[in-house]
Amino acid sequence: SRFSLILRGANMLVEMLHEPAEIFTRMRSFNPEVVLLDVSMPGCTGPELAQIIRLNDDWLRVPIVYLSGATDVGMQVEALRLGGDQFLTKPFNPVLLAAVVKTKIERFRETQRSTRIDGLTGLLNHTAAKSQLKTMANALTNTASPAKSLTVAMIDIDHFKAINDTYGHPVGDQVIRRLAWLLKGRLRTSDMIGRYSGEEFLLALPDVSPDKAREVIDRIREDFASLPHAHPSGALFATFSAGVASFPDFDTGENLTEAADYALLEAKRRGRNRVVEATPTG
């Protein structure tokens, strides 16, 4: 259509949908950053389709722009109430259409970043890390290749409450941030690093043997233990404990995380500042 030509002319990737029933299949394959809906379509209105899109958690935040020839303000307000973000009334200027869509995409990207990224460390936050791990684990069980591997680690800074209580939260935050930087510096871009909770981190290392993954994490543990953290009256040293679990001993993101968490508790029980490997039971 003319709209897709305008948007393609503004260097955007566009996919046209003629059958509303195909909306989820096509959205999954195309992964849009903005959806343009005609208010009146055969068999389904734009607002009805917007409501269906919003029922899916994956598409709660994707911007929806309505295109309409109608100028009835009441209908526009109702359409926006049912899940849209903006209304463009035909005929409209092609430059305006391109500008609106570009702005929506930029804001959507910014929102995606802010809802996925932990503010203190710049790492993936709890929800995003869990989601990425699930994707990584699913990829292993869904492919025929037996050579694939994945090791998950749960890391927890030892005696962190005492650091906060003794030196204050700004120093505690600095310790968390420096561990995040060390992890980013030592791990590969293909590795997943997330801040799982306050002083706890979740790592996922694909395509490396469990022994090698454990060795890498242990080396990071040693280096972190030797890193001085400045505070107003000098420097402090911190350590972390870690539990690791590997595929195929544990076969889902949830099972890997749970097993690594148990191994982390065992590392704490054994005196902290160590890496313990989960072993499958049964």
Side-chain angles (χ1 to χ4, degrees):
S1 80
R2 192 167 61 86
F3 305 130
S4 66
L5 289 174
I6 292 167
L7 297 175
R8 286 189 178 113
N11 294 321
M12 296 184 210
L13 284 172
V14 181
E15 181 150 330
M16 296 285 293
L17 179 69
H18 299 289
E19 287 296 328
E22 293 174 11
I23 187 77
F24 282 145
T25 314
R26 298 285 284 281
M27 282 182 78
R28 268 192 209 98
S29 60
F30 187 63
N31 209 19
E33 293 176 303
V34 67
V35 176
L36 300 177
L37 292 179
D38 220 315
V39 167
S40 49
M41 294 178 286
C44 181
T45 70
E48 283 169 351
L49 197 53
Q51 277 189 298
I52 292 166
I53 290 168
R54 294 289 188 238
L55 286 173
N56 188 306
D57 286 348
D58 293 339
W59 310 113
L60 273 177
R61 293 186 182 87
V62 69
I64 294 174
V65 176
Y66 292 118
L67 307 174
S68 168
T71 50
D72 175 3
V73 174
M75 188 272 286
Q76 292 183 12
V77 170
E78 182 64 5
L80 293 173
R81 186 184 72 78
L82 292 172
D85 295 274
Q86 190 154 351
F87 219 103
L88 289 177
T89 307
K90 303 174 206 168
F92 41 71
N93 186 307
V95 176
L96 175 66
L97 173 64
V100 165
V101 173
K102 263 191 175 148
T103 305
K104 291 293 174 201
I105 288 173
E106 282 162 15
R107 293 226 178 118
F108 176 66
R109 286 178 180 174
E110 190 51 50
T111 305
Q112 288 293 85
R113 277 195 292 274
S114 64
T115 53
R116 286 176 55 78
I117 302 299
D118 169 60
L120 180 68
T121 61
L123 300 175
L124 293 176
N125 63 22
H126 177 96
T127 307
K130 266 179 78 171
S131 170
Q132 188 157 327
L133 174 57
K134 185 180 176 183
T135 303
M136 291 167 90
N138 285 351
L140 294 175
T141 51
N142 292 344
T143 53
S145 166
K148 293 283 180 87
S149 62
L150 181 67
T151 295
V152 167
M154 290 289 279
I155 285 178
D156 188 82
I157 299 171
D158 297 323
H159 301 298
F160 186 74
K161 187 179 182 300
I163 294 172
N164 270 341
D165 291 349
T166 309
Y167 304 102
H169 286 277
V171 173
D173 284 352
Q174 189 58 18
V175 172
I176 286 172
R177 216 184 266 123
R178 294 187 83 195
L179 176 52
W181 289 336
L182 186 60
L183 292 168
K184 276 194 270 197
R186 292 299 172 79
L187 296 174
R188 304 161 299 173
T189 50
S190 57
D191 296 325
M192 189 274 287
I193 317 169
R195 185 179 177 205
Y196 203 65
S197 65
E199 68 273 24
E200 201 168 31
F201 296 80
L202 177 67
L203 314 181
L205 286 66
D207 302 323
V208 63
S209 73
D211 287 347
K212 178 68 180 167
R214 189 185 161 177
E215 193 184 301
V216 167
I217 292 160
D218 206 41
R219 200 172 312 129
I220 294 170
R221 180 194 58 77
E222 284 177 9
D223 291 341
F224 181 66
S226 67
L227 194 65
H229 306 278
H231 61 83
S233 7
L236 69 97
F237 291 87
T239 60
F240 71 68
S241 303
V244 297
S246 298
F247 179 90
D249 290 343
F250 304 93
D251 59 352
T252 66
E254 213 171 289
N255 290 345
L256 283 158
T257 307
E258 193 178 295
D261 210 23
Y262 276 120
L264 168 62
L265 288 172
E266 184 57 31
K268 296 273 187 188
R269 274 196 288 268
R270 291 186 198 174
R272 296 181 168 83
N273 191 22
R274 66 194 66 222
V275 180
V276 169
E277 203 161 351
T279 48
T281 52

